[in-house]
Amino acid sequence: MADTASEPTADRCKLNATLSSSVHDKSELLSFYQQWSDKYDEDFRPEHYVGPRLAVEAVCELIPNEKRSQVTVLDVAAGTGLVGLELAKNGFNLIDAIDGSEDMLTKLRQKGIYKRATQAMLGNDDNESLPKNEYDVVTSCGGFVPGHLPTSAVHDLIRMCKPGGLIVIVMRHEYLTTCDELRPLEPLMMELETKIPSCWNRLQRHISPNYLLDKEGIVFVYRKSL
């Protein structure tokens, strides 16, 4: 990875990523993203942030090129659509998005990649209106951040995925141990696999360096039980 330590945008990327993970009030968080939305793609360009590439590589490993145009994908915590850009490059074109920030979704829609973009907060008790068993693939890249997706959002990811479909979660590795609200995430994921009946089966778990600048990322891939 290129040395980005002296790049002003790398410094701003690091600062904004830190600030976004320190805001826990939902209205303040949405206000923060409203201000950040114009610079988000510049801050999180591929030299700084490889999460979208990691997420899509994981999907492509399991879905052959000739089938991708018919595969339905839901991008959760989609932001400005960086995962969608990677999906489109790799032959996927039936892509929907969910994000909590309407300002970020405005930038996402301008990319012209997504079929549908919905503003919603996941992990709430009132999410029965979310689609059920609808998508072949559900991705969440960078959504499990302090103050963003709660651990309970895992249930929504599973609910929206078709039986036999793929669920890909990409996030900063350190949050699994350093963040109080996300420390229960991996134990919950394991519990959902071992319970009877099992909700899903883990296919991959691997750590990747330089996920966000010098921070490690972790990629989880699950297949929803039939």
Side-chain angles (χ1 to χ4, degrees):
M1 182 177 181
D3 181 10
T4 59
S6 61
E7 294 181 14
T9 54
D11 293 336
R12 191 180 66 206
C13 171
K14 184 177 182 179
L15 174 62
N16 282 330
T18 300
L19 289 173
S20 69
S21 65
S22 64
V23 179
H24 293 271
D25 178 82
K26 292 300 182 186
S27 61
E28 290 180 10
L29 186 63
L30 293 177
S31 177
F32 178 84
Y33 276 106
Q34 180 182 27
Q35 299 173 49
W36 193 15
S37 60
D38 284 335
K39 296 293 185 181
Y40 186 90
D41 283 9
E42 186 179 348
D43 287 358
F44 274 19
R45 67 180 192 261
E47 293 88 349
H48 299 162
Y49 177 53
V50 300
R53 176 176 61 79
L54 295 176
V56 176
E57 283 179 352
V59 174
C60 289
E61 285 180 17
L62 295 165
I63 300 179
N65 186 60
E66 64 272 14
K67 294 185 177 180
R68 293 175 190 170
S69 65
Q70 300 303 313
V71 168
T72 55
V73 183
L74 177 63
D75 180 11
V76 172
T80 60
L82 299 182
V83 170
L85 286 175
E86 291 293 327
L87 286 166
K89 285 183 204 172
N90 286 276
F92 297 90
N93 54 34
L94 300 176
I95 313 167
D96 288 348
I98 288 179
D99 195 83
S101 168
E102 188 59 41
D103 294 284
M104 298 289 273
L105 289 175
T106 296
K107 301 297 182 184
L108 176 148
R109 293 185 185 99
Q110 292 171 359
K111 291 180 170 64
I113 292 170
Y114 292 80
K115 302 298 183 186
R116 181 173 57 183
T118 303
Q119 191 277 327
M121 296 283 197
L122 300 192
N124 302 316
D125 293 334
D126 60 352
N127 277 344
E128 288 303 313
S129 61
L130 293 173
K132 295 180 182 179
N133 302 321
E134 185 168 326
Y135 295 94
D136 298 305
V137 177
V138 176
T139 66
S140 172
C141 180
F144 286 100
V145 173
H148 292 58
L149 291 181
T151 58
S152 57
V154 165
H155 297 287
D156 292 329
L157 304 185
I158 294 171
R159 183 184 303 116
M160 294 186 288
C161 186
K162 291 179 181 177
L166 299 174
I167 300 165
V168 178
I169 297 171
V170 185
M171 61 183 290
R172 266 168 68 164
H173 182 218
E174 64 184 309
Y175 287 154
L176 294 173
T177 54
T178 64
C179 173
D180 287 343
E181 66 188 271
L182 293 175
R183 197 174 289 123
L185 178 59
E186 190 165 15
L188 173 61
M189 294 161 74
M190 295 170 65
E191 176 187 340
L192 292 173
E193 182 174 15
T194 57
K195 68 179 289 190
I196 299 174
S198 174
C199 293
W200 57 4
N201 296 296
R202 195 176 76 192
L203 305 180
Q204 293 182 31
R205 180 195 188 275
H206 65 86
I207 297 168
S208 179
N210 302 319
Y211 160 75
L212 174 62
L213 298 172
D214 61 345
K215 298 295 185 179
E216 287 184 336
I218 187 166
V219 180
F220 294 98
V221 182
Y222 284 85
R223 189 176 297 281
K224 182 174 176 178
S225 301
L226 295 172

